[in-house]
Amino acid sequence: YKLGNPQKKIKNIIHIAGTNGKGSVLAFLKSFIQASGFTVNTYTSPHLINFNERINLNDQNISNEFLEVLLDMCNKKNDGKPITFFEITTAAAFLAFKIKPADFTILETGLGGRLDATNIIKKPIITIINEISIDHKNFLGSNIKQIAKEKAGIIKKNSPVVIGKQTKKAIEIIKKVASKFKVKTFFYKKDWFIKKNEKKNHIIFFNNLKNNKKEKYPQPNLMGEHQIINAGIALKAFNLIMKKKFNKNFVKKGLKTVKWTGRLQKIYLNKELFSKKINHKKWEFWFDGGHNKSASRALAKTFKKWNVKKLYLIFGMLNSKNPKNFLNYFKEITTKLITVAIKSDSPYYTNKKLYEIAKLNEFNVETAQTIAHALNKILLNESPGRILICGSFYMYKEVSKLLKK
């Protein structure tokens, strides 16, 4: 209010909530919109290396200078009153989007939805609720119904809602909230559907299951089985946003060019940082920041499908998460697990604590001081295969220093 309600000056807002896949859906939508010739501003979290990634203005991360000016303005107006880190940075983001507007603005909730700082917006053109699973129990509730109620809190009157894959309990809650606001809902498998054609290496999208009309598109540039559904959510939303202006060619271009760092990303190590004895051509290196049971299930499903090569995990996790639940899906497909401590200001599990948890779950496990140390242990002592660095987005900063320039 003291800043002049900048959120009210932002046009064409798309609001996304969910436990998993928010960032990937945002990336697909951004790619489709940009391929159509429009500009896009985005607000995401967490960041991987620099905070500036969170506020992206027409494909450029906000500059330090502009960010400092905005935060100073927010601080002065706040006048020393209690405010959280996410609240003040969200206020700064809204100011940035007002000063440097785009044709569309996509907002990702930070935590939950109903009480999230981004939920101050009143008239999004569309809302999206991606897969809901158990996470942040200390804030959102201990069961799916409670968590779904929080996520469904972003639903607004006159804003259609696109819903991804959900449990029956989550669907019940979303339907109840949507009915209260009398908004149109578009559920996965009920109203729209997407699937992969394995033989012909493309995806098939059904925009309306009532008429069963198919649309064929190339495989998305983001890897993993779960990204097919994320692409479908974005596709359905894009159809609703564009209406008669919808163009399949923009979707095709968007699917081919979409990028989203840190989500089942194939990475390439800087060979100069490692022993010359290592034949890097015989190895594959991957990173994924997923940190809960649902993300783990999707990841393990993908690697199980690629099971020709041995799989090695380098694993770290914040202590607000559940490592046992995450690791369960990898038990049958992992040759060796190496635990590391995350270099983060947030509380994290030590490598020894993660070792104990993995040992109890019968993994072949060792510890390492750093990710580089863990990589060397595997590369110098094990037969070639795939290495997956996983468990937290906060690991990417350390990983980025080891990558090919």
Side-chain angles (χ1 to χ4, degrees):
Y1 172 76
K2 289 180 181 177
L3 291 167
N5 287 312
Q7 74 281 2
K8 291 182 179 179
K9 311 289 194 311
I10 304 165
K11 64 179 182 179
N12 295 330
I13 294 175
I14 300 160
H15 201 191
I16 307 176
T19 310
N20 292 93
K22 294 190 297 288
S24 297
V25 171
L26 179 147
F28 279 119
L29 256 176
K30 180 182 176 182
S31 194
F32 298 157
I33 292 167
Q34 286 179 324
S36 308
F38 296 103
T39 56
V40 190
N41 287 339
T42 61
Y43 183 52
T44 58
S45 62
H47 58 275
L48 294 178
I49 300 172
N50 299 310
F51 174 87
N52 310 56
E53 298 162 31
R54 296 183 181 218
I55 304 172
N56 189 278
L57 303 166
N58 193 20
D59 231 18
Q60 295 294 317
N61 293 338
I62 192 169
S63 68
N64 285 338
E65 294 76 19
F66 189 28
L67 181 59
E68 283 174 20
V69 168
L70 297 174
L71 288 171
D72 280 344
M73 288 171 69
C74 293
N75 262 322
K76 283 174 185 175
K77 292 291 183 183
N78 189 53
D79 197 25
K81 290 179 182 175
I83 192 166
T84 68
F85 169 81
F86 190 74
E87 284 168 345
I88 199 163
T89 55
T90 301
F94 285 144
L95 267 179
F97 299 152
K98 176 194 167 187
I99 295 165
K100 296 192 175 183
D103 299 317
F104 292 87
T105 297
I106 312 177
L107 305 177
E108 182 187 320
T109 59
L111 183 67
R114 184 176 65 93
L115 299 175
D116 192 76
T118 61
N119 205 31
I120 195 170
I121 59 161
K122 299 295 181 190
K123 295 178 181 177
I125 56 168
I126 199 163
T127 56
I128 295 169
I129 302 176
N130 208 0
E131 184 182 6
I132 296 169
S133 61
I134 301 290
D135 202 5
H136 300 294
K137 286 162 69 171
N138 49 333
F139 294 106
L140 302 179
S142 58
N143 59 60
I144 288 291
K145 278 193 173 184
Q146 290 174 329
I147 295 169
K149 190 175 180 181
E150 294 301 315
K151 307 280 184 187
I154 70 164
I155 294 173
K156 305 283 190 303
K157 192 176 179 181
N158 299 321
S159 298
V161 191
V162 177
I163 303 102
K165 185 180 178 183
Q166 304 291 351
T167 63
K168 286 182 181 179
K169 288 178 182 177
I171 289 170
E172 282 174 26
I173 298 295
I174 295 166
K175 279 184 176 178
K176 191 175 179 180
V177 177
S179 176
K180 179 185 171 185
F181 289 102
K182 296 178 181 177
V183 298
K184 289 182 179 178
T185 54
F186 300 89
F187 284 88
Y188 169 69
K189 279 191 175 179
K190 179 180 174 286
D191 302 292
W192 62 272
F193 184 62
I194 192 164
K195 67 179 182 179
K196 186 177 177 182
N197 187 323
E198 299 285 358
K199 291 180 182 178
K200 297 186 178 177
N201 208 31
H202 61 247
I203 56 175
I204 300 165
F205 178 66
F206 298 82
N207 183 43
N208 187 340
L209 281 175
K210 287 177 183 175
N211 63 25
N212 218 30
K213 190 180 175 184
K214 298 177 187 177
E215 294 172 15
K216 189 172 79 172
Y217 294 105
Q219 289 251 38
N221 194 36
L222 298 186
M223 301 292 288
E225 298 295 305
H226 52 294
Q227 295 296 6
I228 304 299
I229 296 178
N230 289 334
I233 295 166
L235 242 170
K236 182 61 195 175
F238 187 63
N239 265 278
L240 292 168
I241 292 163
M242 293 299 170
K243 296 174 183 172
K244 291 179 181 178
K245 293 180 182 178
F246 177 84
N247 188 316
K248 283 179 71 175
N249 290 325
F250 297 148
V251 172
K252 288 176 182 176
K253 184 180 176 183
L255 286 167
K256 287 178 181 176
T257 57
V258 63
K259 292 175 184 174
W260 197 231
T261 307
R263 280 76 175 176
L264 198 49
Q265 177 187 350
K266 194 170 187 179
I267 55 177
Y268 299 87
L269 299 182
N270 181 352
K271 295 176 187 177
E272 292 175 13
L273 301 176
F274 295 87
S275 169
K276 290 180 181 178
K277 295 177 184 177
I278 299 162
N279 185 348
H280 287 254
K281 289 179 182 178
K282 290 185 176 181
W283 291 87
E284 278 183 23
F285 306 94
W286 296 85
F287 177 87
D288 192 278
H291 46 255
N292 56 39
K293 191 176 178 180
S294 185
S296 168
R297 183 171 59 238
L299 266 178
K301 186 179 177 184
T302 297
F303 280 96
K304 203 168 185 177
K305 209 167 186 181
W306 298 347
N307 67 359
V308 180
K309 294 185 179 182
K310 289 182 177 181
L311 177 64
Y312 304 92
L313 294 191
I314 297 173
F315 178 65
M317 188 165 264
L318 296 182
N319 70 6
S320 57
K321 309 300 175 186
N322 188 323
K324 184 182 175 184
N325 281 353
F326 185 94
L327 291 172
N328 272 343
Y329 292 102
F330 283 97
K331 197 180 291 185
E332 293 176 11
I333 58 173
T334 302
T335 300
K336 177 166 276 187
L337 169 68
I338 298 189
T339 62
V340 293
I342 297 171
K343 291 181 178 177
S344 169
D345 294 331
S346 301
Y348 54 83
Y349 284 105
T350 64
N351 55 358
K352 288 179 181 176
K353 183 62 182 173
L354 290 174
Y355 172 90
E356 288 167 12
I357 293 166
K359 196 73 178 171
L360 282 172
N361 284 272
E362 300 175 345
F363 276 87
N364 176 15
V365 59
E366 293 181 23
T367 65
Q369 294 303 311
T370 65
I371 292 171
H373 181 210
L375 282 164
N376 269 314
K377 271 193 169 189
I378 297 168
L379 292 169
L380 292 170
N381 301 306
E382 305 292 339
S383 54
R386 293 186 176 93
I387 298 176
L388 171 63
I389 303 167
C390 62
S392 176
F393 287 114
Y394 290 96
M395 298 171 79
Y396 192 81
K397 190 169 186 177
E398 189 180 343
V399 169
S400 68
K401 295 172 184 175
L402 306 173
L403 302 184
K404 192 176 180 180
K405 302 298 178 202

